[in-house]
Amino acid sequence: MKETTIYHGSNVVVEKPQIFISGFYKDFGYGFYCTKLEKQAQKWALTKRGDSVVSVFKYEPTENLKVLSFPQMTDEWLDFVVDCRRGVKHDYDIVEGPMADDQIWDYVEDFMEGTITREAFWILAKFKYPTHQIVFCTQKALESIAFERSISL
């Protein structure tokens, strides 16, 4: 399998990623969130208080990990995000796919509350730019990434 560079935006350098199970539920559940898109990681970093840092990792997929991948937004992706945002647990080591950014998240909430239909969600949720997230949900998954360097913004 092919090694990939991934990025994590924060207010600190993250050399040894950890999974914190606290706070609000996220798109793909609890885990260490990264992206293949450096500009997206920079945006994440710039939203934090204090310093803005992008940590760069090498990711080497392995066959012993249970991976769920969504190449694009689909009904399956939407249902999975809704479940995760509601706190439903899954047993994947890694989940990868588009992210529900702030605007998309508003539409997901509307769909969850029943104020818009699934069809209306898809009309509203058309992306004008690509997004990507890869979430390492287990300690075993974190072992597939290695810190390379950090970039201060």
Side-chain angles (χ1 to χ4, degrees):
M1 297 195 176
K2 187 179 174 196
E3 184 177 80
T4 304
T5 300
I6 56 173
Y7 308 90
H8 174 81
S10 183
N11 59 355
V12 296
V13 175
V14 180
E15 290 185 29
K16 295 184 191 233
Q18 298 178 26
I19 297 168
F20 295 104
I21 300 177
S22 64
F24 61 93
Y25 297 112
K26 299 181 179 183
D27 287 357
F28 296 155
Y30 292 120
F32 181 65
Y33 279 70
C34 294
T35 179
K36 292 179 184 176
L37 305 173
E38 186 175 358
K39 284 188 178 194
Q40 185 175 303
Q42 291 171 355
K43 287 180 183 178
W44 288 347
L46 291 168
T47 65
K48 308 294 182 192
R49 288 187 182 172
D51 295 335
S52 298
V53 179
V54 173
S55 297
V56 182
F57 297 86
K58 289 294 182 188
Y59 163 53
E60 180 95 37
T62 61
E63 292 188 14
N64 68 332
L65 296 174
K66 188 173 181 183
V67 178
L68 177 61
S69 182
F70 298 101
Q72 59 192 16
M73 291 192 318
T74 61
D75 282 338
E76 182 184 28
W77 170 87
L78 176 59
D79 293 338
F80 190 83
V81 168
V82 167
D83 283 349
C84 288
R85 290 280 182 153
R86 287 182 171 154
V88 175
K89 295 189 185 334
H90 61 77
D91 64 350
Y92 294 99
D93 295 304
I94 296 173
V95 182
E96 180 174 10
M99 88 178 198
D101 64 10
D102 292 341
Q103 183 178 12
I104 299 300
W105 176 240
D106 289 342
Y107 304 144
V108 171
E109 280 188 326
D110 291 343
F111 173 71
M112 287 171 63
E113 293 169 3
T115 56
I116 64 171
T117 64
R118 183 178 297 269
E119 293 75 22
F121 171 84
W122 289 118
I123 291 168
L124 294 167
K126 290 185 181 175
F127 276 126
K128 294 182 175 35
Y129 57 91
T131 62
H132 172 267
Q133 59 190 346
I134 181 166
V135 184
F136 299 85
C137 306
T138 63
Q139 188 60 42
K140 186 166 89 169
L142 288 177
E143 293 168 8
S144 68
I145 63 176
F147 178 77
E148 191 171 80
R149 62 189 161 85
S150 64
I151 304 165
S152 293
L153 303 180

